[in-house]
Amino acid sequence: MELGDSLCPVRVSMQKSDYRLSLENFDTLRSYWLESDSPSMWDCLFTLPPWLEAWWCEFGSEGELYLRSVRQGETLLGIAPLLLKETEASFIGSPDVCDYMDFIVLQGRENDFFNILLDDLREKGIRCLKLNPLRPTSKVLTHLIGLSQKRGYQVSCEIEDVSLEMALPSTWEEYLGILTQKQRHEVRRKFRRLGEAGEVTYRIIEESHCLLEAMALFLKLFRESRSDKAKFMNDQRESFFNSLARKMARDRLLKMGILDLNGRSVAMVMYFDHHHKIYLYNNGYLPQYHSLSVGFISKVMCIKDSIEKKRERFDFLKGAETYKHRLGGKEVPLSCCQIIFN
């Protein structure tokens, strides 16, 4: 399917109202996002157009792109970012690089959108929807599951992982007060030890051209920090990371924090800033500085900077690593749901 094949309408009549189902591409999707006056439709970082396009271009070759919008008149009700393989549909995305997924739906119009979508998928021969990972607030869990059950479809959901996040207080001192006494002492002790080793600075990279230059250093630190990360970062995922960086930097969503010790970059964090929320996507550090906890401190500095910038939430993303709990994160279950059409 060519990405340029867009706006091919299919007329569907439901409750005497006129709905239009249209084939979209990533360019039209991005224009809807940039022009949207309904920011809640685009609250999931991993369904933003630059993210979807970066993933599809790198990993989508084994499926058929199903990128459909549903409208009533001029009102955009929602968008389905799906990949079709034979009789199964899943999200454009994969759990190894996309921490959670969802449909893009106008609040209050979920049932209208999903009714049109389900009818179209069945007409196209789809017999199974496999959707993951899903937060409890996803449109899938709050609307699609109930609607599917009313239609008599077979529905099964199970928790497959967790992510951790926290509400950010207004000041750094308030944040330290949230931590346990033991962890508060540990954070201060690690800062003190690093300071004793030399001059410490933490800087934020935000400009697009600087971010792209910093990616090479980030990938180097990422690979060197742990053997499992080196194994994870194969050529295809490196290509995805670079493409994602270009697209997210263009739209001013990507940030990088660099921890320097005596003028040398010893740790980095790659994160995203969207809707007053920080998403800590990944990090890397030089292993010879492991004893100084530079990886841990770079994450703490990211939290501190987020508080100073008055962000509202900090998302550590998927995985129940110990440091996330120690830094105040609370678990959010992530589910996998399967819907089988009868």
mmCIF file of all heavy atoms in Angstrom, residues 117-146:
data_model
loop_
_atom_site.group_PDB
_atom_site.id
_atom_site.type_symbol
_atom_site.label_atom_id
_atom_site.label_comp_id
_atom_site.label_asym_id
_atom_site.label_seq_id
_atom_site.Cartn_x
_atom_site.Cartn_y
_atom_site.Cartn_z
ATOM 1 N N LEU A 117 -15.487 1.297 13.267
ATOM 2 C CA LEU A 117 -14.232 0.585 13.076
ATOM 3 C C LEU A 117 -14.436 -0.928 13.070
ATOM 4 O O LEU A 117 -13.925 -1.635 12.187
ATOM 5 C CB LEU A 117 -13.249 0.970 14.180
ATOM 6 C CG LEU A 117 -11.909 0.229 14.191
ATOM 7 C CD1 LEU A 117 -11.101 0.560 12.940
ATOM 8 C CD2 LEU A 117 -11.119 0.551 15.458
ATOM 9 N N LEU A 118 -15.182 -1.438 14.042
ATOM 10 C CA LEU A 118 -15.380 -2.879 14.129
ATOM 11 C C LEU A 118 -16.097 -3.424 12.902
ATOM 12 O O LEU A 118 -15.752 -4.492 12.378
ATOM 13 C CB LEU A 118 -16.168 -3.219 15.400
ATOM 14 C CG LEU A 118 -15.419 -3.029 16.721
ATOM 15 C CD1 LEU A 118 -16.367 -3.194 17.903
ATOM 16 C CD2 LEU A 118 -14.255 -3.992 16.843
ATOM 17 N N ASP A 119 -17.092 -2.686 12.431
ATOM 18 C CA ASP A 119 -17.807 -3.120 11.221
ATOM 19 C C ASP A 119 -16.863 -3.181 10.024
ATOM 20 O O ASP A 119 -16.895 -4.130 9.235
ATOM 21 C CB ASP A 119 -18.963 -2.170 10.914
ATOM 22 C CG ASP A 119 -20.127 -2.323 11.884
ATOM 23 O OD1 ASP A 119 -20.166 -3.356 12.592
ATOM 24 O OD2 ASP A 119 -20.976 -1.420 11.946
ATOM 25 N N ASP A 120 -15.994 -2.183 9.884
ATOM 26 C CA ASP A 120 -15.086 -2.155 8.734
ATOM 27 C C ASP A 120 -14.053 -3.279 8.818
ATOM 28 O O ASP A 120 -13.752 -3.918 7.801
ATOM 29 C CB ASP A 120 -14.388 -0.805 8.651
ATOM 30 C CG ASP A 120 -13.591 -0.647 7.359
ATOM 31 O OD1 ASP A 120 -14.210 -0.696 6.278
ATOM 32 O OD2 ASP A 120 -12.364 -0.509 7.438
ATOM 33 N N LEU A 121 -13.523 -3.521 10.007
ATOM 34 C CA LEU A 121 -12.539 -4.589 10.160
ATOM 35 C C LEU A 121 -13.152 -5.952 9.829
ATOM 36 O O LEU A 121 -12.519 -6.792 9.170
ATOM 37 C CB LEU A 121 -11.980 -4.596 11.581
ATOM 38 C CG LEU A 121 -11.044 -3.428 11.927
ATOM 39 C CD1 LEU A 121 -10.721 -3.430 13.416
ATOM 40 C CD2 LEU A 121 -9.758 -3.484 11.114
ATOM 41 N N ARG A 122 -14.370 -6.174 10.256
ATOM 42 C CA ARG A 122 -15.022 -7.447 9.949
ATOM 43 C C ARG A 122 -15.250 -7.599 8.447
ATOM 44 O O ARG A 122 -15.059 -8.681 7.884
ATOM 45 C CB ARG A 122 -16.356 -7.545 10.697
ATOM 46 C CG ARG A 122 -16.201 -7.695 12.197
ATOM 47 C CD ARG A 122 -17.472 -8.169 12.849
ATOM 48 N NE ARG A 122 -17.835 -9.520 12.378
ATOM 49 C CZ ARG A 122 -18.895 -10.186 12.815
ATOM 50 N NH1 ARG A 122 -19.703 -9.643 13.712
ATOM 51 N NH2 ARG A 122 -19.159 -11.384 12.361
ATOM 52 N N GLU A 123 -15.650 -6.505 7.802
ATOM 53 C CA GLU A 123 -15.858 -6.560 6.349
ATOM 54 C C GLU A 123 -14.557 -6.875 5.623
ATOM 55 O O GLU A 123 -14.569 -7.481 4.547
ATOM 56 C CB GLU A 123 -16.426 -5.229 5.854
ATOM 57 C CG GLU A 123 -17.876 -4.986 6.251
ATOM 58 C CD GLU A 123 -18.366 -3.632 5.789
ATOM 59 O OE1 GLU A 123 -17.643 -2.968 5.009
ATOM 60 O OE2 GLU A 123 -19.470 -3.225 6.220
ATOM 61 N N LYS A 124 -13.432 -6.489 6.182
ATOM 62 C CA LYS A 124 -12.134 -6.740 5.552
ATOM 63 C C LYS A 124 -11.578 -8.120 5.903
ATOM 64 O O LYS A 124 -10.440 -8.449 5.556
ATOM 65 C CB LYS A 124 -11.134 -5.647 5.951
ATOM 66 C CG LYS A 124 -11.494 -4.283 5.404
ATOM 67 C CD LYS A 124 -10.409 -3.272 5.666
ATOM 68 C CE LYS A 124 -10.805 -1.907 5.096
ATOM 69 N NZ LYS A 124 -11.153 -1.958 3.666
ATOM 70 N N GLY A 125 -12.339 -8.914 6.606
ATOM 71 C CA GLY A 125 -11.919 -10.276 6.906
ATOM 72 C C GLY A 125 -11.108 -10.430 8.177
ATOM 73 O O GLY A 125 -10.576 -11.510 8.452
ATOM 74 N N ILE A 126 -11.015 -9.366 8.979
ATOM 75 C CA ILE A 126 -10.300 -9.465 10.254
ATOM 76 C C ILE A 126 -11.173 -10.225 11.252
ATOM 77 O O ILE A 126 -12.356 -9.932 11.401
ATOM 78 C CB ILE A 126 -9.945 -8.070 10.798
ATOM 79 C CG1 ILE A 126 -9.023 -7.336 9.819
ATOM 80 C CG2 ILE A 126 -9.298 -8.175 12.174
ATOM 81 C CD1 ILE A 126 -7.720 -8.060 9.546
ATOM 82 N N ARG A 127 -10.564 -11.174 11.935
ATOM 83 C CA ARG A 127 -11.294 -11.992 12.900
ATOM 84 C C ARG A 127 -10.758 -11.838 14.317
ATOM 85 O O ARG A 127 -11.368 -12.340 15.261
ATOM 86 C CB ARG A 127 -11.211 -13.467 12.485
ATOM 87 C CG ARG A 127 -11.959 -13.763 11.188
ATOM 88 C CD ARG A 127 -13.459 -13.574 11.377
ATOM 89 N NE ARG A 127 -14.218 -13.681 10.138
ATOM 90 C CZ ARG A 127 -14.637 -12.635 9.425
ATOM 91 N NH1 ARG A 127 -14.356 -11.404 9.847
ATOM 92 N NH2 ARG A 127 -15.335 -12.807 8.334
ATOM 93 N N CYS A 128 -9.624 -11.155 14.458
ATOM 94 C CA CYS A 128 -9.027 -11.038 15.790
ATOM 95 C C CYS A 128 -8.308 -9.707 15.925
ATOM 96 O O CYS A 128 -7.573 -9.284 15.017
ATOM 97 C CB CYS A 128 -8.053 -12.191 16.030
ATOM 98 S SG CYS A 128 -7.157 -12.095 17.604
ATOM 99 N N LEU A 129 -8.547 -9.038 17.041
ATOM 100 C CA LEU A 129 -7.798 -7.834 17.418
ATOM 101 C C LEU A 129 -6.906 -8.193 18.599
ATOM 102 O O LEU A 129 -7.400 -8.645 19.636
ATOM 103 C CB LEU A 129 -8.751 -6.718 17.838
ATOM 104 C CG LEU A 129 -9.290 -5.771 16.778
ATOM 105 C CD1 LEU A 129 -10.391 -4.902 17.381
ATOM 106 C CD2 LEU A 129 -8.192 -4.897 16.212
ATOM 107 N N LYS A 130 -5.596 -8.013 18.450
ATOM 108 C CA LYS A 130 -4.666 -8.233 19.554
ATOM 109 C C LYS A 130 -4.014 -6.900 19.885
ATOM 110 O O LYS A 130 -3.250 -6.352 19.079
ATOM 111 C CB LYS A 130 -3.613 -9.274 19.202
ATOM 112 C CG LYS A 130 -2.735 -9.663 20.379
ATOM 113 C CD LYS A 130 -1.806 -10.814 20.058
ATOM 114 C CE LYS A 130 -0.992 -11.206 21.280
ATOM 115 N NZ LYS A 130 -0.069 -12.338 20.999
ATOM 116 N N LEU A 131 -4.327 -6.360 21.049
ATOM 117 C CA LEU A 131 -3.971 -4.983 21.379
ATOM 118 C C LEU A 131 -3.169 -4.936 22.677
ATOM 119 O O LEU A 131 -3.656 -5.357 23.735
ATOM 120 C CB LEU A 131 -5.245 -4.139 21.507
ATOM 121 C CG LEU A 131 -6.186 -4.176 20.289
ATOM 122 C CD1 LEU A 131 -7.499 -3.486 20.596
ATOM 123 C CD2 LEU A 131 -5.514 -3.559 19.070
ATOM 124 N N ASN A 132 -1.954 -4.399 22.595
ATOM 125 C CA ASN A 132 -1.096 -4.265 23.774
ATOM 126 C C ASN A 132 0.095 -3.384 23.428
ATOM 127 O O ASN A 132 0.381 -3.189 22.239
ATOM 128 C CB ASN A 132 -0.605 -5.645 24.235
ATOM 129 C CG ASN A 132 0.359 -6.292 23.231
ATOM 130 O OD1 ASN A 132 0.039 -6.459 22.044
ATOM 131 N ND2 ASN A 132 1.536 -6.670 23.696
ATOM 132 N N PRO A 133 0.767 -2.853 24.466
ATOM 133 C CA PRO A 133 0.387 -2.826 25.892
ATOM 134 C C PRO A 133 -0.648 -1.718 26.122
ATOM 135 O O PRO A 133 -0.645 -0.694 25.410
ATOM 136 C CB PRO A 133 1.711 -2.512 26.606
ATOM 137 C CG PRO A 133 2.782 -2.645 25.549
ATOM 138 C CD PRO A 133 2.136 -2.329 24.257
ATOM 139 N N LEU A 134 -1.473 -1.857 27.143
ATOM 140 C CA LEU A 134 -2.579 -0.928 27.386
ATOM 141 C C LEU A 134 -2.572 -0.444 28.831
ATOM 142 O O LEU A 134 -2.529 -1.250 29.765
ATOM 143 C CB LEU A 134 -3.917 -1.614 27.104
ATOM 144 C CG LEU A 134 -4.125 -2.176 25.706
ATOM 145 C CD1 LEU A 134 -5.319 -3.118 25.694
ATOM 146 C CD2 LEU A 134 -4.334 -1.048 24.698
ATOM 147 N N ARG A 135 -2.649 0.869 29.005
ATOM 148 C CA ARG A 135 -2.847 1.434 30.333
ATOM 149 C C ARG A 135 -4.318 1.283 30.736
ATOM 150 O O ARG A 135 -5.192 1.149 29.879
ATOM 151 C CB ARG A 135 -2.466 2.914 30.336
ATOM 152 C CG ARG A 135 -0.968 3.173 30.282
ATOM 153 C CD ARG A 135 -0.680 4.649 30.029
ATOM 154 N NE ARG A 135 -1.262 5.506 31.049
ATOM 155 C CZ ARG A 135 -0.673 5.831 32.190
ATOM 156 N NH1 ARG A 135 0.534 5.358 32.464
ATOM 157 N NH2 ARG A 135 -1.258 6.625 33.056
ATOM 158 N N PRO A 136 -4.620 1.326 32.037
ATOM 159 C CA PRO A 136 -6.018 1.213 32.474
ATOM 160 C C PRO A 136 -6.917 2.294 31.896
ATOM 161 O O PRO A 136 -8.133 2.080 31.751
ATOM 162 C CB PRO A 136 -5.917 1.341 34.005
ATOM 163 C CG PRO A 136 -4.530 0.912 34.329
ATOM 164 C CD PRO A 136 -3.679 1.359 33.175
ATOM 165 N N THR A 137 -6.361 3.462 31.567
ATOM 166 C CA THR A 137 -7.152 4.569 31.027
ATOM 167 C C THR A 137 -7.270 4.534 29.501
ATOM 168 O O THR A 137 -7.855 5.452 28.915
ATOM 169 C CB THR A 137 -6.536 5.913 31.446
ATOM 170 O OG1 THR A 137 -5.151 5.941 31.027
ATOM 171 C CG2 THR A 137 -6.612 6.107 32.955
ATOM 172 N N SER A 138 -6.735 3.504 28.859
ATOM 173 C CA SER A 138 -6.790 3.445 27.399
ATOM 174 C C SER A 138 -8.229 3.350 26.920
ATOM 175 O O SER A 138 -9.115 2.836 27.619
ATOM 176 C CB SER A 138 -5.996 2.240 26.890
ATOM 177 O OG SER A 138 -6.654 1.034 27.244
ATOM 178 N N LYS A 139 -8.474 3.833 25.699
ATOM 179 C CA LYS A 139 -9.813 3.741 25.110
ATOM 180 C C LYS A 139 -10.214 2.292 24.903
ATOM 181 O O LYS A 139 -11.405 1.976 24.904
ATOM 182 C CB LYS A 139 -9.842 4.479 23.769
ATOM 183 C CG LYS A 139 -9.293 5.908 23.790
ATOM 184 C CD LYS A 139 -10.076 6.818 24.684
ATOM 185 C CE LYS A 139 -9.673 8.281 24.493
ATOM 186 N NZ LYS A 139 -8.227 8.544 24.696
ATOM 187 N N VAL A 140 -9.233 1.431 24.713
ATOM 188 C CA VAL A 140 -9.533 0.000 24.551
ATOM 189 C C VAL A 140 -10.208 -0.536 25.806
ATOM 190 O O VAL A 140 -11.267 -1.179 25.742
ATOM 191 C CB VAL A 140 -8.254 -0.799 24.254
ATOM 192 C CG1 VAL A 140 -8.554 -2.299 24.213
ATOM 193 C CG2 VAL A 140 -7.643 -0.359 22.930
ATOM 194 N N LEU A 141 -9.620 -0.271 26.967
ATOM 195 C CA LEU A 141 -10.146 -0.829 28.208
ATOM 196 C C LEU A 141 -11.383 -0.100 28.698
ATOM 197 O O LEU A 141 -12.275 -0.707 29.294
ATOM 198 C CB LEU A 141 -9.057 -0.809 29.285
ATOM 199 C CG LEU A 141 -7.873 -1.757 29.045
ATOM 200 C CD1 LEU A 141 -6.846 -1.618 30.164
ATOM 201 C CD2 LEU A 141 -8.318 -3.198 28.919
ATOM 202 N N THR A 142 -11.467 1.206 28.460
ATOM 203 C CA THR A 142 -12.612 1.961 28.975
ATOM 204 C C THR A 142 -13.835 1.900 28.070
ATOM 205 O O THR A 142 -14.961 2.117 28.543
ATOM 206 C CB THR A 142 -12.232 3.438 29.198
ATOM 207 O OG1 THR A 142 -11.813 4.016 27.949
ATOM 208 C CG2 THR A 142 -11.122 3.573 30.225
ATOM 209 N N HIS A 143 -13.657 1.590 26.774
ATOM 210 C CA HIS A 143 -14.798 1.616 25.846
ATOM 211 C C HIS A 143 -14.873 0.415 24.917
ATOM 212 O O HIS A 143 -15.932 -0.211 24.800
ATOM 213 C CB HIS A 143 -14.773 2.901 25.018
ATOM 214 C CG HIS A 143 -15.072 4.134 25.794
ATOM 215 N ND1 HIS A 143 -14.105 4.807 26.516
ATOM 216 C CD2 HIS A 143 -16.230 4.811 25.990
ATOM 217 C CE1 HIS A 143 -14.658 5.860 27.117
ATOM 218 N NE2 HIS A 143 -15.936 5.879 26.814
ATOM 219 N N LEU A 144 -13.777 0.076 24.242
ATOM 220 C CA LEU A 144 -13.844 -0.962 23.218
ATOM 221 C C LEU A 144 -14.179 -2.330 23.802
ATOM 222 O O LEU A 144 -14.954 -3.095 23.200
ATOM 223 C CB LEU A 144 -12.515 -1.034 22.455
ATOM 224 C CG LEU A 144 -12.416 -2.116 21.375
ATOM 225 C CD1 LEU A 144 -13.522 -1.954 20.325
ATOM 226 C CD2 LEU A 144 -11.042 -2.100 20.717
ATOM 227 N N ILE A 145 -13.648 -2.664 24.964
ATOM 228 C CA ILE A 145 -13.903 -3.971 25.561
ATOM 229 C C ILE A 145 -15.389 -4.151 25.864
ATOM 230 O O ILE A 145 -16.004 -5.161 25.505
ATOM 231 C CB ILE A 145 -13.060 -4.165 26.839
ATOM 232 C CG1 ILE A 145 -11.575 -4.227 26.491
ATOM 233 C CG2 ILE A 145 -13.501 -5.407 27.599
ATOM 234 C CD1 ILE A 145 -11.211 -5.302 25.512
ATOM 235 N N GLY A 146 -15.990 -3.168 26.506
ATOM 236 C CA GLY A 146 -17.416 -3.254 26.831
ATOM 237 C C GLY A 146 -18.289 -3.343 25.598
ATOM 238 O O GLY A 146 -19.248 -4.120 25.549
#
